[in-house]
Amino acid sequence: MSDVMPVTRALFDEVMVPNYNPAAIIPVRGEGSRVWDQDNREYIDFAGGIAVSCLGHCHPAMVNALTEQANKLWHLSNVLTNEPALRLAKKLTDATFAERVYFANSGAEANEAALKLARRYALEVHGEEKQEIIAFHKGFHGRTFFTVTVGGQAAYSDGFGPKPGGVQHVEFNNLESLAAVMSDKTCAVMIEPLQGEGGVVPGTKEFLKGVRELCDKHNAVLIFDEVQSGFGRTGTLYAYEQTGITPDILTTAKALGGGFPIGAMLTTAEIAAHLKPGTHGSTYGGNPLACAVSEAVMDVVNTKEVLAGVKDREQWFRDALQKINDKYDVFEEVRGQGLLLGAALNEKYKGKAREFLVAGAEAGVMVLVAGMDVIRFTPSLVIPETDIAQGMARFEEAVAKVVAANS
Ligand SMILES: *Cc1c(COP(=O)(O)O)cnc(C)c1O
């Protein structure tokens, strides 16, 4: 164990690039939906490492898969294939519309692959005029230069020099604004069926259906970014299953590894055929450790019990938030799907989401924000009812504190 160097939060500022500003506490241990810091203080985890820890911390299925694989084989590179990667790809294609899988190590990388594939497909099938990518204001697709440019917050992509071209943004949930810019030059539309970072905003069924129709009309590839909404988060393995439409490419990461870094792009055989040998790649993508863990996570998540359990838990969260709101009047609405929920603050508390997050941590519960006006909940998909009740009691304390401080 680490009987080595004493570590404090102050060390972060001495040795780390300052692109993050982490909280004062340093967690050292987790079990289920609870985490303990260096002082052995306990927190209930409603954040799940930003929608990643879908089975909580140190779930036995993940620990077993990881340790078993750790004693067999860690890494090969894509010069060779490996058993866990092929098993996971088979399970993903069996469970979705997709027929082919590309493995990456993160959501951004899965999206980077999706965008490059869409461009290559359009170029080879329709010619070089067809290269426009359309995405949505407030959308989020990762932090590589291409994906952050396709994301709908210019603040994230400004200040790094010339951006990749051929990218346009339109209003989410507004079909006219999309129809107005689409043409036969449109190569792809990239969309989150449920915007996460942008404030937990579900795409309406009519809107998503309209997006699909416009893509069909203009021969454009429809890319669903399900990095946050996917892998059981909304109560089905992927959120597209509840929309009545099917994308051409789907990207998945976050919960896919349950905490081990992995991402994947799923697509049809016809589209996939355009990423021929040598056109794209990754040293680690499809790494045996990552795929072994992900396969074990999928075996648990993609079951009737767990997926139905997400809907039960959604209701428990909504009921608890409603009760808190009846008492303190802080939320305008609670929105989202499954266990990707956002409590949007009302006029009086707009801009103050962070205050609730900080007060929550002080009360022993970890929550997230999505922008400045929304408190976001993305807990484990198997969080026990008692942890929800106790975490919500702590969250109520936090709300009371923020209300008192603002009155
Ligand atoms: C988190 C997220 C990403 C980026 O994933 P990384 O693993 O951080 O690269 C992309 N798209 C969506 C919708 C996300 O929520």
Side-chain angles (χ1 to χ4, degrees):
M1 292 299 285
S2 43
D3 51 12
V4 265
M5 177 196 299
V7 166
T8 65
R9 171 62 179 78
L11 187 56
F12 182 96
D13 297 328
E14 284 174 41
V15 298
M16 300 291 277
V17 168
N19 62 315
Y20 304 117
N21 182 22
I25 62 132
I26 300 183
V28 292
R29 184 164 65 83
E31 191 186 323
S33 285
R34 291 176 193 242
V35 166
W36 290 266
D37 71 8
Q38 290 174 313
D39 300 325
N40 209 27
R41 206 166 159 248
E42 181 214 79
Y43 301 82
I44 291 175
D45 186 2
F46 286 171
I50 316 187
V52 166
S53 309
C54 58
L55 297 181
H57 299 275
C58 301
H59 190 286
M62 300 196 298
V63 173
N64 289 340
L66 183 65
T67 48
E68 209 175 278
Q69 189 60 38
N71 285 302
K72 277 191 197 158
L73 183 70
W74 284 36
H75 178 76
L76 290 165
S77 90
N78 287 297
V79 171
L80 299 149
T81 190
N82 68 77
E83 291 181 354
L86 295 181
R87 276 201 304 265
L88 177 59
K90 175 78 173 102
K91 287 183 179 179
L92 286 168
T93 53
D94 283 349
T96 65
F97 74 95
E99 298 153 330
R100 297 290 186 271
V101 178
Y102 167 84
F103 285 121
N105 313 289
S106 66
E109 281 178 65
N111 284 333
E112 185 83 16
L115 292 165
K116 284 180 72 179
L117 172 56
R119 279 272 181 84
R120 180 62 66 116
Y121 176 73
L123 180 73
E124 291 184 351
V125 175
H126 303 284
E128 57 186 48
E129 286 281 281
K130 198 173 181 66
Q131 50 165 268
E132 279 296 321
I133 288 160
I134 302 176
F136 296 87
H137 293 306
K138 291 193 155 187
F140 183 79
H141 303 297
R143 297 286 201 154
T144 66
F145 207 11
F146 198 176
T147 58
V148 82
T149 302
V150 173
Q153 273 196 274
Y156 291 168
S157 54
D158 286 348
F160 298 100
K163 299 179 190 183
V167 179
Q168 291 189 72
H169 297 96
V170 296
E171 208 183 311
F172 191 67
N173 273 337
N174 181 338
L175 205 55
E176 284 92 80
S177 95
L178 176 63
V181 300
M182 278 194 81
S183 73
D184 289 345
K185 289 186 179 167
T186 306
C187 153
V189 173
M190 181 173 252
I191 188 169
E192 294 164 87
L194 194 181
Q195 286 191 335
E197 303 299 315
V200 191
V201 184
T204 67
K205 254 195 178 163
E206 311 77 74
F207 173 66
L208 295 171
K209 191 164 159 272
V211 173
R212 174 74 271 180
E213 283 164 7
L214 284 169
C215 285
D216 291 341
K217 182 173 161 202
H218 294 287
N219 286 315
V221 164
L222 177 56
I223 306 170
F224 263 25
D225 177 346
E226 292 227 34
V227 169
Q228 188 155 166
S229 63
F231 224 61
R233 179 73 35 203
T234 68
T236 47
L237 187 62
Y238 287 101
Y240 84 85
E241 297 166 47
Q242 295 172 63
T243 64
I245 60 153
T246 304
D248 302 301
I249 301 179
L250 180 151
T251 56
T252 176
K254 290 205 165 97
L256 176 62
F260 202 99
I262 182 171
M265 173 186 74
L266 314 182
T267 188
T268 62
E270 190 219 331
I271 296 173
H274 294 268
L275 275 191
K276 295 185 184 75
T279 52
H280 192 57
S282 156
T283 298
Y284 285 124
N287 167 285
L289 283 176
C291 292
V293 173
S294 179
E295 187 195 357
V297 175
M298 185 166 175
D299 286 343
V300 178
V301 167
N302 195 26
T303 57
K304 277 211 175 73
E305 304 88 275
V306 169
L307 294 175
V310 169
K311 292 287 183 194
D312 295 335
R313 286 162 178 77
E314 172 182 4
Q315 200 53 52
W316 300 335
F317 266 88
R318 284 181 180 277
D319 291 347
L321 289 168
Q322 181 65 51
K323 258 194 180 154
I324 290 173
N325 204 35
D326 288 345
K327 210 156 147 190
Y328 296 97
D329 190 22
V330 286
F331 310 132
E332 187 175 273
E333 64 169 338
V334 175
R335 61 193 182 217
Q337 243 184 313
L339 289 173
L340 175 44
L341 294 171
L345 295 167
N346 64 20
E347 229 20 82
K348 180 160 185 217
Y349 296 94
K350 272 211 167 55
K352 297 190 165 150
R354 256 202 93 76
E355 282 186 39
F356 289 85
L357 178 149
V358 170
E362 280 164 9
V365 60
M366 306 195 306
V367 301
L368 292 170
V369 299
M372 286 176 352
D373 307 330
V374 178
I375 304 161
R376 178 170 38 152
F377 301 87
T378 54
S380 156
L381 306 183
V382 294
I383 183 172
E385 192 170 7
T386 50
D387 288 14
I388 297 176
Q390 202 176 339
M392 277 298 171
R394 294 180 188 182
F395 185 64
E396 182 174 340
E397 262 177 60
V399 170
K401 211 165 136 186
V402 174
V403 168
N406 282 281
S407 64

